[in-house]
Amino acid sequence: MGEKGKKSKTMSKSPSAAKEHKEQLERLQKKDPEFYQYLQQYGKDLLTFDDEDEDFDDDAEVDMEDAENQLDDETYQHDIPEEEEKPSKNVLTTEMVNSWCKSIREDEKLSAVHSIMKAFRTACHYGDDTGTDSSAKFAVMSSSVFNKIMLFTLSEMDRILRKLLNLPASGGKKETIIELMNTKQWKNYNHLVKSYLGNALHVLNQMTDTKMISFTLRRLQYSSVFLAAFPSLLRKYIKVALHFWGTGGDALPVVSFLFLRDLCVRLGSDCLDECFRGIYKAYVLNCHFVNASKLQHIQFLANCVIELIRVDLPTAYQHAFVFIRQLAMLLRDALNMKTKEAYRKVYEWKFINCLELWTGAICTYSSEADFRPLAYPLTQIISGVARLVPTARYFPLRLRCVKMLNRISAATGTFIPVSMLLLDMLEMKELNRPPTGGVGKAVDLRTTLKASKPILKTRAFQEACVISVVEELAEHLAQWSYSVAFFELSFIPAVRLRSFCKCTKVERFRKEMRHLIRKIEANDEFTNERRASVTFLPNDNAATSFLEDEKKMGTSPLSQYVTTLRQRAQQRNDSMMESSVLVGEKSAVFGKKLDQIPDSDEEDDIKNDDGATVFSSSWLPGGDSRANLPKEEEKKKKKKKKKKKKKGMEQDEGVGDDEDVVEDLVLSSDEDEDEDEEDTAEEDGNEEQLGGSRQQNKKQKPKNLSNKNVRPHHHAKNNKSKKRKRAKLN
């Protein structure tokens, strides 16, 4: 093939070949004069024989002369009439693609591989501004041809490249590619690998359909090990995958995360640092605001970060330490400076969600020596955040911090004194006095950091806070309900709970507390009966095995009581979830989505069916649909903003659970607050934001009414003056 290609190339440059070509053009002029006239007007370079080889060679991306010659032979060896050979040279047809695919599958021809790769490059760059690249400029293909090229290349190219490079059918590590780079096979075929990965990355940035992107990423995941040889491409792939992970819909976030995780597993230190930093940054960008519909999606993103940490715990520890230290520095600034801006940086969703993320990571890897040391600094930060502004308006944030501390305590088996944080809440007047703001709307503490003043006085807010205090205090005491020191540990909480029962004027709160007190007393009897028969001292190691069997079975009164409280809390949370978006309902559950992703063997069986379904549209890169899409989305977003603002002005009792906080952030916060609390948490929950807007509206109403009263007066004066002028004229 190489000798034949060289002969054809030399012949094409000889005078006899030029004369033969001119005769072919003359026959074409006689047979189809209209088409020949069209070529003279719009394609003069096609009629110039000397420029043909240069234009054709410029489009090829390979460096080896044999590959170019083989590609030339393969392109010209199709059953096309002699007269139409020249004008249709740059038109990709279904017959050409099918012949290349057949040659690769049956005969494994290298020339067909070069041809399909050239077609793949043309498909990926279709519609691009090619400038002086005349061969690409005149390349034409239909959507069906584009779909065939993409489906075959993505499905088969990994197998072809591995066979050419003598690699295993799947898998591989960075060390394998480093050894391969010194071989003759790599020098001969590395341009194919780079062309495949580079062009696939280019078309990924052009795609708009999530299913198409997901299929492309799944197929590229098999070839991700080759990125070890191309660091610049590796960085670009990480950036694209992180973007799809944070913003994609349907199964795309899961597919993108699996692609990133595969890169970290196979390439190791080459991409671990960049992936850890990038995925944490993407998580922070996607958790600025929280509402009922985003809760599960944010939890899914956090689960992905925690799963990626598992790849290399020592490296992840270094990054986690830096990120947790950044949170500590923000808290230190708030404690020292005591300014509104410093408080705002701590009391915002971004900061709290980062605490939630590292709490989940430490709870997951609490048994690992590499991660366990981070529990202490994180606990100190969470405790400091809970006590930063000890007012009733920040009860939701304090309860969230207590929940995190309880999780760390349960995972690490370390005692954390959280009871004082909860009992101090009960002594504030907002919880032990009857509400003065009416019943109010149900409050979802999971989506609230700061309560507005009107909501603070409602019965719904009081009930939500008191019930949460009971649940978290019971969780804390249940963790130590099998301790030999439980009686001493629960003595002060029991005394303060009894004091609350005497002081509160709300009967339903008194009933809840008495129930908890009875469970604490029952647990005291449960531990004291067994403690009376022990012979070890309190500082003995044998104290750690006290009631160990009962703890495994969960037979203590407080453990059983906590089980019922968890069921009640789950029912309450489910009732508040009136609606959920697609990404929150399906993509957020990490375990379920992973089960839906087929194994490698299963995917090999169904990949053609999936690909045929995905690549069945009329979409082509560089189309106008992509350019028009952002404008249409902007129009829809503007309409939604206007509707939400109108709804917010009409509502009387606060924002619904599923309303987007981002839109409400435009509204200002409460104007009648004290100056030292004003704007402390400008980016907090929906109810606070709307509460401020309602107060502004109430203040603006008299002004509007006065304006309305003035306008008729001006109109009356104008009418009188007009009548006088008419009277004078008459």
Side-chain angles (χ1 to χ4, degrees):
M1 290 297 295
E3 295 178 0
K4 186 177 180 181
K6 291 178 182 178
K7 288 180 181 179
S8 63
K9 194 168 184 179
T10 53
M11 289 175 62
S12 66
K13 294 181 180 179
S14 63
S16 59
K19 184 178 180 181
E20 181 181 358
H21 178 62
K22 289 181 180 179
E23 293 175 357
Q24 292 176 357
L25 293 177
E26 290 175 0
R27 289 197 301 271
L28 177 62
Q29 184 179 8
K30 293 178 182 178
K31 186 175 180 180
D32 196 347
E34 294 181 359
F35 183 75
Y36 188 85
Q37 186 178 1
Y38 174 84
L39 290 178
Q40 286 181 330
Q41 293 178 0
Y42 301 101
K44 291 183 179 180
D45 53 343
L46 294 177
L47 300 177
T48 305
F49 178 72
D50 294 335
D51 296 335
E52 179 187 55
D53 289 309
E54 294 178 5
D55 292 336
F56 188 78
D57 292 339
D58 286 342
D59 186 62
E61 290 189 341
V62 296
D63 300 327
M64 300 175 63
E65 186 177 358
D66 291 342
E68 293 178 357
N69 295 332
Q70 291 171 358
L71 188 58
D72 294 342
D73 293 340
E74 192 66 30
T75 305
Y76 283 106
Q77 287 179 358
H78 290 286
D79 297 329
I80 302 175
E82 251 186 4
E83 294 82 357
E84 296 180 4
E85 181 182 359
K86 178 67 179 182
S88 63
K89 179 174 76 74
N90 285 331
V91 178
L92 288 172
T93 62
T94 306
E95 291 76 12
M96 296 167 65
V97 176
N98 288 337
S99 66
W100 293 333
C101 297
K102 184 178 179 182
S103 300
I104 293 173
R105 287 195 180 105
E106 296 180 359
D107 304 330
E108 298 182 352
K109 287 186 177 180
L110 185 60
S111 59
V113 174
H114 285 292
S115 299
I116 200 69
M117 286 305 299
K118 181 181 177 181
F120 180 66
R121 177 187 179 277
T122 304
C124 293
H125 291 265
Y126 192 80
D128 290 358
D129 185 10
T130 54
T132 57
D133 191 356
S134 59
S135 60
K137 187 190 303 182
F138 291 101
V140 180
M141 71 174 69
S142 63
S143 58
S144 60
V145 173
F146 171 81
N147 293 335
K148 280 182 176 293
I149 294 171
M150 296 299 296
L151 180 58
F152 178 82
T153 307
L154 292 173
S155 302
E156 301 292 336
M157 191 49 61
D158 179 72
R159 179 186 61 81
I160 295 169
L161 293 175
R162 287 178 179 273
K163 192 168 185 179
L164 290 174
L165 297 171
N166 296 326
L167 290 176
S170 62
K173 293 278 187 177
K174 177 182 67 174
E175 293 75 15
T176 307
I177 301 301
I178 293 175
E179 294 176 1
L180 179 67
M181 291 173 68
N182 298 322
T183 62
K184 184 179 179 181
Q185 287 89 349
W186 180 258
K187 293 179 181 178
N188 291 337
Y189 304 118
N190 73 84
H191 60 277
L192 292 176
V193 180
K194 187 173 184 179
S195 176
Y196 172 57
L197 295 175
N199 292 323
L201 176 65
H202 181 82
V203 80
L204 265 178
N205 289 319
Q206 305 296 320
M207 290 179 177
T208 56
D209 182 62
T210 55
K211 293 182 179 179
M212 192 179 293
I213 298 171
S214 298
F215 178 82
T216 305
L217 274 179
R218 278 201 297 267
R219 297 310 309 166
L220 288 171
Q221 184 178 340
Y222 291 97
S223 306
S224 60
V225 67
F226 292 118
L227 290 172
F230 310 106
S232 60
L233 278 178
L234 174 61
R235 289 191 295 271
K236 293 178 181 178
Y237 265 102
I238 292 174
K239 185 177 180 180
V240 169
L242 287 171
H243 172 73
F244 290 142
W245 173 75
T247 61
D250 295 335
L252 182 56
V254 179
V255 175
S256 303
F257 170 72
L258 293 177
F259 181 84
L260 287 169
R261 186 180 181 278
D262 192 72
L263 283 179
C264 293
V265 171
R266 298 188 186 284
L267 305 187
S269 59
D270 285 356
C271 65
L272 272 174
D273 293 334
E274 191 166 355
C275 283
F276 282 146
R277 286 192 297 266
I279 201 169
Y280 182 70
K281 183 178 179 181
Y283 171 80
V284 172
L285 291 175
N286 284 277
C287 68
H288 275 259
F289 308 102
V290 173
N291 55 21
S293 59
K294 287 188 68 176
L295 279 175
Q296 292 183 346
H297 179 58
I298 292 175
Q299 184 60 45
F300 161 74
L301 298 179
N303 289 341
C304 289
V305 178
I306 294 170
E307 181 65 23
L308 192 66
I309 289 173
R310 192 190 301 272
V311 175
D312 192 339
L313 286 175
T315 304
Y317 171 83
Q318 298 174 4
H319 291 279
F321 181 85
V322 173
F323 297 141
I324 292 174
R325 184 174 178 272
Q326 291 174 356
L327 300 177
M329 292 171 67
L330 291 174
L331 177 60
R332 183 192 63 185
D333 293 341
L335 291 170
N336 294 336
M337 299 171 64
K338 297 181 180 180
T339 60
K340 300 172 187 176
E341 186 63 29
Y343 285 147
R344 186 183 294 113
K345 289 181 181 179
V346 174
Y347 279 6
E348 63 178 355
W349 278 115
K350 181 171 63 175
F351 190 95
I352 301 302
N353 282 323
C354 289
L355 291 180
E356 293 271 8
L357 170 65
W358 297 120
T359 299
I362 289 172
C363 292
T364 304
Y365 307 113
S366 59
S367 59
E368 301 289 341
D370 293 320
F371 242 73
R372 191 181 177 88
L374 293 173
Y376 179 75
L378 184 65
T379 300
Q380 295 297 315
I381 295 171
I382 297 172
S383 300
V385 171
R387 293 183 173 90
L388 183 60
V389 183
T391 61
R393 299 191 65 185
Y394 290 100
F395 279 174
L397 185 142
R398 176 175 287 210
L399 289 168
R400 202 177 188 94
C401 291
V402 170
K403 191 183 290 289
M404 287 188 275
L405 293 175
N406 277 337
R407 290 176 60 193
I408 295 174
S409 176
T412 60
T414 306
F415 176 76
I416 301 175
V418 301
S419 59
M420 294 301 106
L421 291 171
L422 298 168
L423 295 171
D424 289 344
M425 294 172 59
L426 298 177
E427 294 181 355
M428 294 188 184
K429 61 182 181 180
E430 286 81 5
L431 295 187
N432 57 23
R433 291 182 183 178
T436 59
V439 177
K441 194 173 182 179
V443 179
D444 190 358
L445 297 178
R446 300 172 303 164
T447 60
T448 308
L449 290 183
K450 178 184 177 184
S452 62
K453 284 189 175 181
I455 293 174
L456 195 65
K457 301 174 183 178
T458 60
R459 172 181 170 181
F461 179 78
Q462 283 189 350
E463 286 185 352
C465 289
V466 172
I467 290 173
S468 297
V469 167
V470 171
E471 290 172 353
E472 296 305 322
L473 186 58
E475 284 276 359
H476 169 65
L477 295 175
Q479 293 174 11
W480 305 102
S481 60
Y482 304 95
S483 172
V484 70
F486 179 79
F487 177 77
E488 290 77 10
L489 186 148
S490 63
F491 179 76
I492 294 178
V495 170
R496 295 184 68 175
L497 289 175
R498 293 189 187 98
S499 175
F500 175 78
C501 290
K502 293 178 181 179
C503 296
T504 185
K505 299 178 182 180
V506 184
E507 182 59 31
R508 60 185 177 279
F509 297 164
R510 190 181 294 116
K511 184 179 178 180
E512 283 284 341
M513 293 304 168
R514 284 174 178 170
H515 195 187
L516 177 58
I517 291 170
R518 285 196 294 269
K519 294 298 179 182
I520 294 174
E521 292 173 349
N523 209 96
D524 285 338
E525 296 177 1
F526 173 76
T527 54
N528 289 340
E529 287 177 2
R530 290 156 180 78
R531 193 168 77 165
S533 59
V534 300
T535 57
F536 54 80
L537 296 175
N539 59 353
D540 257 350
N541 292 331
T544 58
S545 61
F546 180 71
L547 298 179
E548 188 174 0
D549 296 334
E550 289 81 354
K551 186 176 182 179
K552 292 178 181 178
M553 294 185 291
T555 57
S556 72
L558 272 174
S559 295
Q560 296 173 359
Y561 178 56
V562 165
T563 302
T564 59
L565 290 179
R566 288 172 182 169
Q567 294 173 356
R568 186 178 71 176
Q570 185 62 41
Q571 293 174 0
R572 184 174 67 252
N573 293 336
D574 293 341
S575 65
M576 289 184 179
M577 293 291 291
E578 297 175 354
S579 62
S580 59
V581 294
L582 179 64
V583 72
E585 183 182 6
K586 296 184 178 179
S587 295
V589 185
F590 186 68
K592 291 182 180 179
K593 270 296 178 182
L594 285 181
D595 294 338
Q596 295 176 9
I597 302 297
D599 297 334
S600 58
D601 297 336
E602 296 175 359
E603 189 169 349
D604 289 337
D605 298 334
I606 64 174
K607 63 185 178 182
N608 291 330
D609 296 337
D610 290 345
T613 305
V614 170
F615 289 100
S616 59
S617 64
S618 59
W619 179 83
L620 285 172
D624 295 335
S625 59
R626 182 177 175 84
N628 295 333
L629 186 64
K631 295 180 181 179
E632 296 175 359
E633 290 181 352
E634 287 180 3
K635 291 180 180 179
K636 291 180 180 178
K637 287 181 179 179
K638 289 181 180 178
K639 290 181 180 178
K640 288 181 180 179
K641 286 182 180 179
K642 291 180 180 178
K643 290 181 180 178
K644 287 181 178 179
K645 286 182 180 179
K646 289 180 180 178
K647 289 180 181 178
M649 302 293 282
E650 294 172 356
Q651 287 178 348
D652 293 328
E653 293 185 8
V655 181
D657 293 331
D658 55 345
E659 189 168 352
D660 196 351
V661 185
V662 181
E663 311 301 339
D664 296 332
L665 209 64
V666 181
L667 305 175
S668 60
S669 58
D670 304 322
E671 288 186 354
D672 61 336
E673 292 182 23
D674 297 332
E675 292 183 358
D676 52 12
E677 289 185 358
E678 185 180 358
D679 295 331
T680 303
E682 186 181 16
E683 298 175 349
D684 284 339
N686 300 356
E687 297 173 351
E688 177 196 356
Q689 300 291 343
L690 189 61
S693 67
R694 286 202 304 273
Q695 292 174 5
Q696 284 186 347
N697 295 334
K698 289 178 182 178
K699 293 183 177 182
Q700 291 174 1
K701 280 182 181 178
K703 296 180 182 179
N704 295 334
L705 290 173
S706 63
N707 291 336
K708 289 180 181 178
N709 294 331
V710 170
R711 285 175 185 170
H713 183 64
H714 286 298
H715 286 298
K717 286 185 176 180
N718 293 334
N719 292 335
K720 288 180 180 179
S721 62
K722 288 179 181 178
K723 288 180 181 178
R724 288 174 183 173
K725 289 179 181 179
R726 289 175 184 172
K728 289 180 180 179
L729 291 173
N730 293 332

